[in-house]
Amino acid sequence: MKEVSAAPASPLERAIRLPHATAMVVGTIIGASIFVQPSEVTGQVPSLSGAAIVWLCAGALTLAGALVTAEWASTFPESGGVYAYLREAYGPMLGFLWGWAMFWTMHSGIIAVIAMVFAFYAAFLFPLGDVGSRVAALTVIWLLTWVNYRGVRQASNLQTAFTLVKVLAIVLMVIVGFALGSPAESSSQGPAGLLGGGGSSGFLTAMVAALFAFGGWHMVTYNAEETVDPQRTIPRALGIGIVVVTVCYIALNAVYFYVLPIETVVASTRIAADGADAVLGFGGGATMAGLVMFSTFGALAGIILSGPRVYYAMARDGHLFDWVGGLHPSRLTPHRAILLQAVWCSVLVLTGTYRELFTRVVYTEWIFFGLMALGLLRIRRRTEVARQYSCWGYPVVPIVFALAAFAIAGHAAVTSPSESVQGLGLVLLGVPVFLVWSRTRPSNPSPRESSA
């Protein structure tokens, strides 16, 4: 059998080891959502048991996606991650559409969103105003862009440090919450039933909200060519990282329910700050604002680090302008792709269009995830493909994950048909672009094909 799963020779610096890769998984996922999103979940399933089930299911589904992605990463350890997997399973067009959606909306949009969340909480501490908030968002984007421009070693070390402190802060929150907080008394018993009366529709809506808080788990695959022994490191980082995040999320929710009445959890728009106020008294909100700023900064560090590697891979394959794939001669970073990402994210922040674009396209991501999972079944039939890790529970896990991914996208189409159609339309705009591009510029062989 022809071995093709060896990590390809790459001009990029391999500086990301297991601790860095695991920190990227954890730090990218844990941003601001867990400090806000529990109210969205509990509003749909208003009971402790219902919320616990939703967060467990969301963690399990994310872990299933990680298991699928881990086999992909061990089989094709290339820069670009999901882009490369879709290209290998279905051809270059689907990979291009992933990168197209990433740049214009999905990835750039989430950078702009998180940067504005950072600015929103900064405004809680300082009188920034609208203009000041946008300046703060731009500042954090360009600061982290500069760190990434300097080198992957510096960027991954920074992201690892912030993730470590972030997790320790969450552990401290949980310990302090249970040690110093008083059990809350609800004014009502709430709806009966395991899901608090939410039913299947409420459960699905709550799952979408919870999965949004788990977003970003796949981004570690984008940096495969900068990862030491990526075939082993990335699968381990995905497994460890998802488990750590799930434990953190369930523990935080337990604290929220312990110190706050359920009706407060449902109604709160800043649940972490309300929980801190309940435990620490006045000033707890300011403490949480600082924590959210710290957390979002760490998440942005990983997200800004990962995205340009996809655009670098696309340019190398001939699906973007060649200059986008240029590497800095001494720092060995895709510096032009890094700067291009920062420029477009800045445009989204300044115009405010990030919110509309991102909310319309975010659910189409799950269509790609479903196709990626089914693509694993296609790749398994290729006898020349070797792997160092096999997805646990194959083929059940990939099929279940794919069905769940399509169910999430379908649920969004039913509940928000106009936004879903517009979002899918934005993605499909890439089809004619790809067709015109492919007729004028021939594709280059992938690193795997070149080294085979």
Side-chain angles (χ1 to χ4, degrees):
M1 182 171 65
K2 185 179 179 182
E3 297 286 340
V4 297
S5 66
S10 174
L12 297 168
E13 180 186 7
R14 292 195 183 273
I16 299 175
R17 299 183 180 275
L18 180 60
H20 307 100
T22 304
M24 187 178 296
V25 175
V26 176
T28 300
I29 295 175
I30 302 178
S33 296
I34 190 56
F35 305 112
V36 179
Q37 213 73 352
S39 297
E40 299 289 331
V41 172
T42 310
Q44 299 298 324
V45 285
S47 71
L48 176 58
S49 60
I53 290 171
V54 168
W55 287 108
L56 279 171
C57 288
L61 184 59
T62 304
L63 182 59
L67 293 172
V68 170
T69 308
E71 179 168 329
W72 273 112
S74 77
T75 308
F76 302 103
E78 304 175 19
S79 288
V82 177
Y83 157 77
Y85 311 154
L86 293 171
R87 180 199 66 204
E88 292 295 330
Y90 302 102
M93 180 184 287
L94 202 61
F96 175 84
L97 290 179
W98 172 264
W100 167 274
M102 267 190 63
F103 178 77
W104 293 113
T105 55
M106 288 192 309
H107 200 84
S108 300
I110 193 61
I111 290 174
V113 167
I114 295 177
M116 286 303 296
V117 170
F118 174 91
F120 172 80
Y121 280 92
F124 186 86
L125 301 176
F126 310 102
L128 295 178
D130 182 64
V131 174
S133 294
R134 292 182 190 274
V135 171
L138 292 176
T139 299
V140 72
I141 288 173
W142 282 97
L143 174 61
L144 289 170
T145 295
W146 173 74
V147 173
N148 277 276
Y149 189 95
R150 291 186 60 205
V152 67
R153 189 179 301 274
Q154 293 90 330
S156 61
N157 285 339
L158 176 71
Q159 207 271 337
T160 301
F162 267 78
T163 298
L164 179 60
V165 175
K166 185 191 309 186
V167 172
L168 291 176
I170 291 174
V171 171
L172 182 62
M173 283 176 59
V174 173
I175 293 173
V176 170
F178 282 115
L180 301 182
S182 300
E185 294 184 4
S186 297
S187 59
S188 64
Q189 295 300 317
L194 193 63
L195 298 179
S200 58
S201 178
F203 175 78
L204 280 176
T205 304
M207 276 288 292
V208 169
L211 287 168
F212 182 80
F214 276 94
W217 51 271
H218 59 286
M219 293 182 190
V220 68
T221 64
Y222 297 165
N223 296 79
E225 289 179 33
E226 293 161 295
T227 302
V228 177
D229 193 10
Q231 301 98 316
R232 297 179 185 274
T233 299
I234 292 178
R236 291 173 181 173
L238 283 166
I240 297 170
I242 299 303
V243 171
V244 170
V245 171
T246 303
V247 171
C248 286
Y249 280 9
I250 292 175
L252 279 173
N253 275 273
V255 171
Y256 297 152
F257 274 97
Y258 180 72
V259 301
L260 296 172
I262 189 169
E263 54 269 20
T264 301
V265 176
V266 171
S268 176
T269 58
R270 51 176 207 132
I271 186 170
D274 289 339
D277 282 336
V279 175
L280 303 177
F282 182 76
T287 301
M288 289 310 305
L291 177 59
V292 172
M293 289 176 62
F294 190 93
S295 181
T296 52
F297 187 91
L300 276 174
I303 298 170
I304 290 175
L305 168 65
S306 60
R309 277 63 185 177
V310 177
Y311 316 135
Y312 162 77
M314 293 175 68
R316 186 174 59 187
D317 289 349
H319 299 143
L320 273 180
F321 296 106
D322 292 339
W323 61 267
V324 178
L327 292 180
H328 194 282
S330 60
R331 304 188 186 281
L332 303 181
T333 56
H335 59 301
R336 293 170 183 163
I338 291 171
L339 293 176
L340 183 64
Q341 173 181 263
V343 169
W344 180 239
C345 291
S346 299
V347 171
L348 295 179
V349 167
L350 289 172
T351 60
T353 53
Y354 64 89
R355 187 178 294 106
E356 179 180 354
L357 289 173
F358 178 71
T359 54
R360 279 167 169 71
V361 178
V362 62
Y363 297 119
T364 62
E365 183 179 58
W366 284 94
I367 299 176
F368 287 110
F369 287 158
L371 291 172
M372 179 183 70
L374 294 181
L376 193 62
L377 307 182
R378 295 167 58 92
I379 290 297
R380 279 286 190 103
R381 294 198 294 266
R382 287 170 51 177
T383 57
E384 82 278 10
V385 173
R387 67 192 64 83
Q388 293 190 24
Y389 168 84
S390 296
C391 175
W392 179 86
Y394 180 91
V396 175
V397 168
I399 292 174
V400 169
F401 178 76
L403 292 176
F406 294 141
I408 291 166
H411 180 70
V414 171
T415 56
S416 305
S418 177
E419 290 187 350
S420 297
V421 169
Q422 292 177 45
L424 187 59
L426 286 171
V427 175
L428 293 179
L429 279 176
V431 173
V433 174
F434 174 83
L435 293 176
V436 171
W437 183 273
S438 60
R439 289 173 183 169
T440 57
R441 294 174 62 89
S443 299
N444 299 321
S446 70
R448 179 186 58 81
E449 295 168 331
S450 299
S451 61

